[in-house]
Structure formats: C-alpha cells, structure tokens
Amino acid sequence: LALKRRLEWRGLDGRVVSVSRGGGFPSDADMVFIGGGSDRVQRALSGELERRKEEISDAIGGGAVVLGVCGGFQLLGHSYTDATGTTVAGMGLLDITTIVEAPRLVGRVVIDAQFAGHDMKVAGFENHGGRTSLGPGAAPLGKVVRGFGNNGADGTEGAVQGNVVGTYLHGPLLPSNPALCDALLRVAFSRTGARELTPLDDRLERAAHDAAELRR
C-alpha cells in the first residue's frame, strides 16, 4: 500500500498483483514483495517458493527488486530450521541461513542502513525466534543502533544481495521509512529508464519515523 500510494502521489501508476499458490506470476514485475508468517505457514509455502525461484530469478535478472520481511526474509535464504528442528529449504537468493533459538528477539529497532547508494536511518519493530547468519555473498542492510537485529550477536540487521533485500523490521516498515521506500522504488524504476522520483511532502512520514525511533 505504501509503495502504491507513493507512486500515485507522483502521478504514476502502480499495479499490484497478488500471487497465490499455483497462480500465475507477472513476467514484467518491477518489484516482488514477500511478507512474513508463522512456522506453519513457512513450512506450507517453502515448496511453492522453491518452485518459483526461477520466475523470481528471471525477474531479478531483468532488474526487478525483491523485498522480504521477517518470514519472507528467512525464506529468501538457503534454509530455515524451526523450533522443532525441521529444516525447510529457501530460495537461495540471499546468502543467509536461519536457525530458531530461544528466547525470541522482540522490541524496537533502529539501524544505520545503506541501500542503492543511499544512507538512511531505518526504524521498526522486530519479533523473531530466528538467528540469521550472513554468508560472504550477502551484505547487511544495516548496522544495529538499538535492538537485536539478525541474531543479537554480530550487530547486523537484514541482508542485501544485488537487488534482493531482506529485513526483520516490521512496524510498519515502508510507511514510516519513506527513504527506504523510495530507494526501493528507484531501483525498480531503473530498469525502465524512468526519471528521478519527484520529492513528496513527508512531514507525516518523518514524524512516524521519529516516533518509531524514540519509542521503547
């Protein structure tokens, strides 16, 4: 919704296509978003996402950007091992692996992030049992200023590998972080040679960001 609105406010069209299990995948996608879910949902969808890896990889090869949040972030990696010890395969589009451990990592997060050549502070909320480790192929989305991040140990949060971005931050992520939202849109538009995005009046969004950054 945030991505679509920020396009509409600039007089641009944004078409959202929901992809369900067994449904068609738009070959001209500029952006792919994969949200979160419970362990049960991740187990149920892991096979479907594996089967769609080629479609999503083709979209990335054409310049599309991919964003995965929480469960979506985990399934963009090589594998996810849940609290029962069951391991499900991910798509391998990010060089990460995730293993669930207790306790859950819960609370407000602020990170110093960098994406597509833009430095920004990103604020949100995390609630995950997964401990995610980055391999050499992925870079962190940001450095933790406050909160736990990927694993509560190495100070990293999220991952970036080419046009693929993953993060644990909810909060909501995009409405309260307009700089990140627009950075994703710029990457998505770069494949079409579109012009630079027109600046918007982000006073409300910045207030939401500041509140998220300060909230305990």
Side-chain angles (χ1 to χ4, degrees):
L1 182 61
L3 292 162
K4 189 171 187 295
R5 287 290 182 266
R6 292 184 73 79
L7 290 176
E8 291 173 349
W9 293 336
R10 292 174 164 111
L12 302 169
D13 292 327
R15 183 169 60 99
V16 178
V17 178
S18 296
V19 179
S20 56
R21 282 196 285 185
F25 185 91
S27 59
D28 60 346
D30 297 303
M31 178 177 289
V32 179
F33 171 73
I34 306 172
S38 66
D39 283 355
R40 179 183 62 80
V41 171
Q42 287 181 251
R43 287 193 296 270
L45 290 180
S46 63
E48 174 77 7
L49 290 174
E50 250 194 309
R51 287 189 291 274
R52 293 194 179 274
K53 177 181 176 179
E54 185 175 348
E55 294 173 312
I56 297 174
S57 295
D58 287 346
I60 295 167
V65 62
V66 176
L67 172 64
V69 175
C70 204
F73 170 34
Q74 293 166 343
L75 289 177
L76 284 170
H78 299 299
S79 64
Y80 171 76
T81 302
D82 67 20
T84 70
T86 302
T87 298
V88 296
M91 289 182 284
L93 299 175
L94 284 174
D95 187 13
I96 64 169
T97 56
T98 302
I99 299 174
V100 170
E101 297 177 7
R104 294 186 70 81
L105 305 179
V106 182
R108 294 284 166 183
V109 190
V110 180
I111 65 172
D112 284 326
Q114 184 179 71
F115 178 64
H118 295 271
D119 295 322
M120 65 198 85
K121 266 203 165 47
V122 177
F125 186 84
E126 63 183 340
N127 183 354
H128 56 99
R131 304 305 197 265
T132 296
S133 300
L134 276 61
L141 173 62
K143 179 181 178 182
V144 175
V145 176
R146 175 156 62 89
F148 296 103
N150 287 331
N151 48 52
D154 65 10
T156 66
E157 205 295 312
V160 178
Q161 193 164 335
N163 282 7
V164 183
V165 183
T167 179
Y168 277 114
L169 270 63
H170 303 267
L173 174 69
L174 297 178
S176 55
N177 291 286
L180 176 61
C181 197
D182 281 355
L184 292 163
L185 287 173
R186 287 188 192 96
V187 174
F189 270 113
S190 65
R191 70 195 295 260
T192 66
R195 66 184 187 278
E196 178 66 15
L197 296 175
T198 305
L200 295 175
D201 180 356
D202 282 334
R203 282 176 292 180
L204 287 175
E205 287 81 1
R206 285 196 295 270
H209 171 89
D210 293 346
E213 194 172 333
L214 293 171
R215 203 173 295 151
R216 294 289 174 181

